[in-house]
Amino acid sequence: MSTLVLRRGRFSARMERRTLVFLVAMLVVIAGLTLLGLCYGAAWASPARVFAALTGSGGGPGVVIREWRLPRVLAGLVFGAALGLAGAIFQNVTRNPLGSPDVIGLDAGAYTGALFAITVLSGTSTQLTIGSVLGGVITAAIVYALSLGGGLSGLRLIVIGIAINAMLTAFNSWIVLRAELEIAIAAVGWNAGSLNGVGWDDVAIPFAVLAVLFAVLFTRAPALHQAALGGALAVTTGVRWDRLRLVLVLIGVGCTATVTAVAGPIAFIALAAPQIGRRLARTPGIALLPAALTGAVLLTSADLAAQMLLAPESLPVGVVSTVIGGGYLIWLLTKEVRRT
């Protein structure tokens, strides 16, 4: 018995050491991507010039770095972390690697709300934000309510979410086809998902909202990890599973809708980040911090690639993230088929 306990202790220590190494490595990668993002642009800025700009002594080029590049880089990091956490929430709740906001229709619902703001209203930034948030929340409420019909289960929620996603996608296409040409072009451009032109005015309030959601989520992290073992088992440990599940879904919807309101729907980051983070960190379940760091790295890397591929033209980051996520999804499905 003592030998078994000792072996378990050694295995746990090895896992914690691997996780710590992963976290340190991810922080180093994030620092490197941040510096690259601040250096790269229409005119390359040296690291010394970036440092001078951040300290307020950069002059003309410093304004470009502080006012244009810095908010875009921070948006990539914070929004990527938010999508990674949203994916981790839904994959823990559904206990399925396909549990993701973009798979179960939240992105499509947010797009429907944005289309309403663009086509029916005047399409201001405030209307776009409110419309996309309400669209995501209403879609989540519909999926959640329909999933409760026969007792909420992960597979049931995903299947219903995929069905809602398909219907909303068709409905959104119909709206775009019937809209005027200029409005349709604007709607399709927003749907691509982009960080182009993001400034401090665009991210100040979303950053504050996400900070609150992050804080609430991490206070629920211990209960979430217990619930990942199964709702019935979580209840025996004192976790109020039904209440916790509702709070987690609301936080996941809030993270997704906040990002979508600013950057449009950015596909596959929420799907891929939690699973990639779990495999790299070697955690027994889908932990929040690895998912957040992986999401930040994926979105920032995708945005840099979007800027560089057709430079000086900048692609929407959603195009690059879709390519990355599509390859990941093919690999994931292939691996699941081999298991069966």
Side-chain angles (χ1 to χ4, degrees):
M1 184 69 178
S2 59
T3 304
L4 180 60
V5 172
L6 182 60
R7 288 180 178 177
R8 287 181 177 177
R10 290 176 178 175
F11 178 75
S12 177
R14 192 181 305 115
M15 292 292 292
E16 291 178 359
R17 187 160 54 247
R18 288 175 178 174
T19 302
L20 181 60
V21 170
F22 164 79
L23 295 178
V24 172
M26 293 298 282
L27 291 175
V28 172
V29 172
I30 287 174
L33 290 173
T34 301
L35 179 60
L36 179 59
L38 294 175
C39 291
Y40 184 80
W44 176 265
S46 65
R49 180 173 291 181
V50 168
F51 178 78
L54 296 179
T55 56
S57 58
V63 175
V64 173
I65 294 172
R66 289 193 303 270
E67 301 299 325
W68 294 359
R69 298 182 188 177
L70 184 58
R72 178 170 186 159
V73 170
L74 292 180
L77 294 173
V78 176
F79 291 170
L83 293 175
L85 288 174
I89 288 173
F90 284 103
Q91 290 179 16
N92 272 304
V93 169
T94 62
R95 302 183 67 190
N96 192 307
L98 292 177
S100 173
D102 42 358
V103 172
I104 62 176
L106 302 190
D107 284 359
Y111 185 35
T112 304
L115 282 176
F116 179 83
I118 294 172
T119 57
V120 178
L121 306 176
S122 55
T124 64
S125 58
T126 301
Q127 292 171 349
L128 196 65
T129 300
I130 295 175
S132 59
V133 170
L134 286 178
V137 171
I138 292 173
T139 303
I142 293 173
V143 172
Y144 191 85
L146 292 176
S147 301
L148 289 173
L152 182 64
S153 68
L155 181 60
R156 180 183 177 87
L157 188 147
I158 290 174
V159 171
I160 290 175
I162 291 174
I164 296 294
N165 185 34
M167 289 188 289
L168 285 175
T169 300
F171 180 65
N172 293 340
S173 299
W174 178 79
I175 293 176
V176 172
L177 289 174
R178 292 187 59 86
E180 297 180 3
L181 180 60
E182 296 173 350
I183 296 177
I185 292 174
V188 172
W190 187 86
N191 185 46
S194 176
L195 296 178
N196 297 338
V198 171
W200 289 117
D201 293 338
D202 301 309
V203 300
I205 295 178
F207 280 4
V209 173
L210 290 175
V212 174
L213 292 175
F214 290 174
V216 175
L217 176 59
F218 279 98
T219 62
R220 302 292 193 276
L224 173 61
H225 293 151
Q226 289 180 356
L229 301 175
L233 184 59
V235 171
T236 62
T237 60
V239 175
R240 296 182 178 178
W241 174 229
D242 291 336
R243 182 178 178 182
L244 174 65
R245 181 170 52 198
L246 179 60
V247 171
L248 291 174
V249 168
L250 290 176
I251 293 174
V253 172
C255 289
T256 304
T258 302
V259 174
T260 305
V262 178
I266 300 175
F268 288 111
I269 299 296
L271 175 68
Q275 292 297 321
I276 294 175
R278 181 179 69 86
R279 285 173 168 79
L280 293 177
R282 304 288 182 88
T283 55
I286 302 173
L288 295 179
L289 189 55
L293 294 177
T294 305
V297 168
L298 287 178
L299 184 54
T300 306
S301 302
D303 188 46
L304 284 170
Q307 296 178 62
M308 296 176 180
L309 285 174
L310 297 179
E313 297 295 329
S314 182
L315 290 172
V317 66
V319 175
V320 179
S321 69
T322 299
V323 173
I324 297 173
Y328 165 78
L329 184 58
I330 292 173
W331 172 83
L332 179 63
L333 292 175
T334 302
K335 186 171 183 179
E336 292 297 322
V337 168
R338 288 178 179 175
R339 283 183 178 178
T340 58

